[in-house]
Amino acid sequence: QVQLVESGGGLVQAGGSLRLSCAASGRTFSRYAMGWFRQAPGKEREIVAAINWSGGSTYYADSVKGRFTISRDNAKNTVYLLMNSLKPEDTAVYYCATGPAYTNNYYWAADRYDYWGQGTQVTVSS
């Protein structure tokens, strides 16, 4: 079965950086878009960033553009989220998920994601 395991979360001061990793198994990783989502207490889950199957196209939420970078290593079946200039409002549980296969169109749409990791907590103190 498909498994996604996130790591790299933690507590960081505002302005600091973290790098999240998500290791995937159970399907041919390189076929699928991958996404990072987050959910803060009392808020709905939202997309943070997504990357298409090849890594040639990326999508970012406006709130993280210029601060976060998504990347993937298909040889290692891993997707990363580098988060710089962190703000207290970035505090949330971060989830990775697998998206649609072999497409460059709307691969960031949340309803196209089917398998999810267990999440990793990111806390940014002010």
Side-chain angles (χ1 to χ4, degrees):
Q1 78 260 29
V2 176
Q3 286 193 320
L4 301 172
V5 180
E6 301 99 336
S7 61
L11 173 64
V12 64
Q13 288 190 331
S17 299
L18 283 174
R19 190 179 81 154
L20 305 183
S21 300
C22 173
S25 62
R27 73 174 19 173
T28 306
F29 179 79
S30 59
R31 294 178 180 175
Y32 298 92
M34 296 294 296
W36 285 98
F37 296 77
R38 67 186 181 188
Q39 187 166 21
K43 295 187 177 181
E44 293 189 356
R45 187 171 58 196
E46 62 176 355
I47 187 160
V48 175
I51 188 166
N52 77 330
W53 60 278
S54 68
S57 178
T58 56
Y59 169 89
Y60 295 95
D62 287 343
S63 58
V64 306
K65 278 181 184 176
R67 300 189 297 123
F68 290 11
T69 303
I70 189 171
S71 61
R72 66 189 298 159
D73 185 338
N74 284 345
K76 295 183 178 180
N77 289 355
T78 301
V79 62
Y80 305 96
L81 184 68
L82 175 61
M83 304 185 294
N84 293 325
S85 302
L86 282 161
K87 304 175 181 180
E89 51 263 45
D90 294 318
T91 295
V93 178
Y94 284 71
Y95 300 90
C96 71
T98 60
Y102 289 140
T103 181
N104 295 326
N105 298 319
Y106 300 106
Y107 57 88
W108 54 86
D111 60 0
R112 303 185 77 181
Y113 284 74
D114 49 4
Y115 291 97
W116 297 79
Q118 82 288 349
T120 186
Q121 176 71 46
V122 171
T123 302
V124 185
S125 62
S126 57

